[in-house]
Amino acid sequence: SLFRLKDLEVPKLGDTDVHVKMLAAPINPADVNMIQGTYAILSPLPAVGGNEGVGEVLEVGSGVTALEPGDWVIPANAGLGTWRTRGVFPEEMLLKVPRDIPVLCAATLSVNPCTAFRMLADFETLAPGDSIIQNAANSGVGQAVIQIARASAIKTINVVRDRPDLPQLVERLMALGADHVVTEEMLRKPEMKDIFKSIPKPRLALNCVGGKSTTEMLRHLQPKGTMVTYGGMAKQPVMVPVSAFIFRDVRLRGFWMTQWRKDHAQDRESVAGMMDSLCQLIRRGQLSAPACTEVPLQDYKAALEATMKPFVSSKQILLL
């Protein structure tokens, strides 16, 4: 195993540093990819895993202005190393979040809901009544997309892999606000036409699978629609029929939240605006944390194994 639990001294607090007691941190697939070395970011070793989580400020350096003891904070960027009980971080690596949202919502806020929010906002101008289609709809991002879209009256067509507990999964996604849940096999079936009697064809497709799933999803996109790829779980390329490009002028784009954060590092307003919007949705009960399994830090091995299993519908969250 690449992991060990180690006791370290907490470093001395510098003028612009913040001493944080971590409260909870999820295990995301990208965290595991990072450790395997198959992700676009490599941390210099030895490194602490985890890119997401929430902590409470214990103490701040004399030069820190925006944070005070008792505040809740989440990482401003990937690579913070959240799987720890305490840490000392420079102030600019942290974002303050309100304490009146549930701790599991705060712990899972900085990656998946932000990704969902940006993809819904940045590629197509969607109006109430418009529709989008997405695959891996039961993923953390997928669940956030369903809820954020629902809050803006955007219809969602959600594609999932066929599985033994399909009826339960469909029921769960419908409860979150999904308009339609279909399996990858159904994308080819004539019944898809029935869906489009009541809602328009999607202007936006969100893809984190690749391979055949993507090609099938693309068939339903409106002319001049956009497909955004933000993951590749099938480890297969995105295949597009030439006709889709020529006769329907579809656009293919990519999205990586880490890059968005780099590009907007100086743009406090768009970051704050996104965080405010998401926290408002959480307060109104329109955005919930994904289904979570809470695991004490010492059981991290079991949590990592559970994250790697296929058809996992529950996110492992380390309680620190």
Side-chain angles (χ1 to χ4, degrees), residues 93-111:
M93 291 176 74
L94 302 167
L95 290 174
K96 180 175 165 175
V97 290
R99 293 190 55 143
D100 66 346
I101 61 173
V103 71
L104 293 182
C105 287
T108 53
L109 185 59
S110 65
V111 178

Side-chain angles (χ1 to χ4, degrees), residues 143-165:
Q143 292 177 53
V145 164
I146 290 170
Q147 296 173 84
I148 296 166
R150 176 65 181 270
S152 304
I154 308 243
K155 309 284 184 196
T156 58
I157 302 162
N158 300 281
V159 186
V160 296
R161 286 183 296 178
D162 200 3
R163 63 193 63 212
D165 61 345

Side-chain angles (χ1 to χ4, degrees), residues 39-110:
Y39 200 62
I41 313 174
L42 290 173
S43 295
L45 297 172
V48 179
N51 289 298
E52 190 177 35
V54 62
E56 181 177 344
V57 175
L58 294 177
E59 199 185 349
V60 298
S62 55
V64 173
T65 51
L67 295 170
E68 54 186 59
D71 284 345
W72 276 10
V73 288
I74 63 174
N77 307 87
L80 191 68
T82 53
W83 300 344
R84 61 173 105 206
T85 54
R86 295 181 173 212
V88 169
F89 308 108
E91 176 182 21
E92 72 270 10
M93 291 176 74
L94 302 167
L95 290 174
K96 180 175 165 175
V97 290
R99 293 190 55 143
D100 66 346
I101 61 173
V103 71
L104 293 182
C105 287
T108 53
L109 185 59
S110 65

Side-chain angles (χ1 to χ4, degrees), residues 193-212:
K193 288 199 181 68
D194 296 339
I195 289 181
F196 298 121
K197 282 177 185 155
S198 58
I199 64 174
K201 287 217 157 188
R203 304 237 314 262
L204 181 67
L206 305 177
N207 163 50
C208 77
V209 179
K212 202 170 144 237

Side-chain angles (χ1 to χ4, degrees), residues 21-315:
K21 172 185 184 291
M22 291 304 296
L23 302 172
I27 301 180
N28 292 314
D31 299 329
V32 179
N33 297 148
M34 223 164 132
I35 293 146
Q36 293 165 333
T38 57
Y39 200 62
I41 313 174
L42 290 173
S43 295
L45 297 172
V48 179
N51 289 298
E52 190 177 35
V54 62
E56 181 177 344
V57 175
L58 294 177
E59 199 185 349
V60 298
S62 55
V64 173
T65 51
L67 295 170
E68 54 186 59
D71 284 345
W72 276 10
V73 288
I74 63 174
N77 307 87
L80 191 68
T82 53
W83 300 344
R84 61 173 105 206
T85 54
R86 295 181 173 212
V88 169
F89 308 108
E91 176 182 21
E92 72 270 10
M93 291 176 74
L94 302 167
L95 290 174
K96 180 175 165 175
V97 290
R99 293 190 55 143
D100 66 346
I101 61 173
V103 71
L104 293 182
C105 287
T108 53
L109 185 59
S110 65
V111 178
N112 296 328
C114 289
T115 301
F117 184 91
R118 293 265 57 104
M119 292 194 302
L120 288 168
D122 294 352
F123 294 92
E124 287 280 343
T125 312
L126 298 169
D130 282 346
S131 81
I132 67 139
I133 187 167
Q134 64 165 348
N135 55 22
N138 58 314
S139 67
V141 172
Q143 292 177 53
V145 164
I146 290 170
Q147 296 173 84
I148 296 166
R150 176 65 181 270
S152 304
I154 308 243
K155 309 284 184 196
T156 58
I157 302 162
N158 300 281
V159 186
V160 296
R161 286 183 296 178
D162 200 3
R163 63 193 63 212
D165 61 345
L166 186 66
Q168 289 95 306
L169 177 62
V170 171
E171 200 174 305
R172 245 190 43 236
L173 296 182
M174 296 300 270
L176 286 180
D179 294 283
H180 299 276
V181 182
V182 298
T183 61
E184 295 190 343
E185 293 70 30
M186 279 172 68
L187 282 176
R188 285 207 79 105
K189 303 261 165 69
E191 291 89 283
M192 284 300 287
K193 288 199 181 68
D194 296 339
I195 289 181
F196 298 121
K197 282 177 185 155
S198 58
I199 64 174
K201 287 217 157 188
R203 304 237 314 262
L204 181 67
L206 305 177
N207 163 50
C208 77
V209 179
K212 202 170 144 237
S213 163
T214 309
T215 314
E216 293 299 335
M217 201 163 60
L218 206 60
R219 295 151 59 107
H220 301 293
L221 204 56
Q222 267 191 36
K224 293 196 179 350
T226 305
M227 183 170 78
V228 182
T229 291
Y230 67 98
M233 294 185 332
K235 298 188 167 54
Q236 289 161 351
V238 169
M239 307 286 271
V240 184
V242 171
S243 62
F245 273 134
I246 299 176
F247 302 122
R248 289 195 293 126
D249 188 18
V250 297
R251 280 124 228 258
L252 263 61
R253 302 283 306 272
F255 182 76
W256 188 31
M257 193 63 218
T258 303
Q259 188 63 46
W260 188 92
R261 288 194 191 285
K262 279 197 189 112
D263 295 345
H264 294 81
Q266 301 315 312
D267 180 0
R268 298 305 266 177
E269 273 178 30
S270 23
V271 177
M274 168 172 70
M275 291 324 237
D276 287 348
S277 301
L278 291 170
C279 290
Q280 284 296 356
L281 291 175
I282 291 167
R283 284 193 195 99
R284 287 192 211 123
Q286 293 178 308
L287 178 61
S288 54
C292 292
T293 305
E294 301 176 34
V295 183
L297 181 60
Q298 57 269 27
D299 298 342
Y300 72 93
K301 284 197 171 110
L304 279 165
E305 275 164 27
T307 301
M308 305 299 283
K309 289 200 177 90
F311 301 126
V312 183
S313 289
S314 186
K315 194 172 276 301

